[in-house]
Amino acid sequence: MFEVNETLILKYVKLFSASGAGQGTIDNRIEQAMDLVKSHLMSAVRSEVEELRDKITKLEESVTVLSRENEILRANVNPDILANLSSRGHPQIQAPPDPGQH
């Protein structure tokens, strides 16, 4: 799901392999590493969310098109065929309202 980022790994290695005065305590280095991990994960999550939003939008558009096609097909199909489909376990299929009954 998430790609391994070589630059991020190199930052971790440098952070933990750094030694000597001025590098801070181990707690500070751990905190910095955790901040890098958090930043990377948040970026990856944002990317995933954006991809999923795009997929949802495309799926919603497909549902709209397919629903309209379904309405057209049901409006133009022989009522006997609809009755046959309904008796076969497709209760969601209903005959369209008769346009002459208004």
Side-chain angles (χ1 to χ4, degrees), residues 14-69:
K14 286 179 184 177
L15 232 132
F16 284 106
S17 64
S19 61
Q23 293 299 321
T25 65
I26 187 74
D27 290 340
N28 288 338
R29 288 188 279 174
I30 290 172
E31 187 176 337
Q32 289 173 350
M34 293 298 287
D35 287 344
L36 285 172
V37 169
K38 179 181 173 184
S39 175
H40 177 69
L41 288 176
M42 291 300 292
S43 175
V45 167
R46 280 189 205 102
S47 177
E48 282 289 317
V49 166
E50 188 62 34
E51 286 180 32
L52 290 172
R53 283 185 177 149
D54 290 343
K55 287 180 183 179
I56 288 169
T57 299
K58 289 176 184 175
L59 288 171
E60 286 174 340
E61 290 170 359
S62 292
V63 165
T64 301
V65 169
L66 292 171
S67 293
R68 182 63 186 135
E69 287 177 5

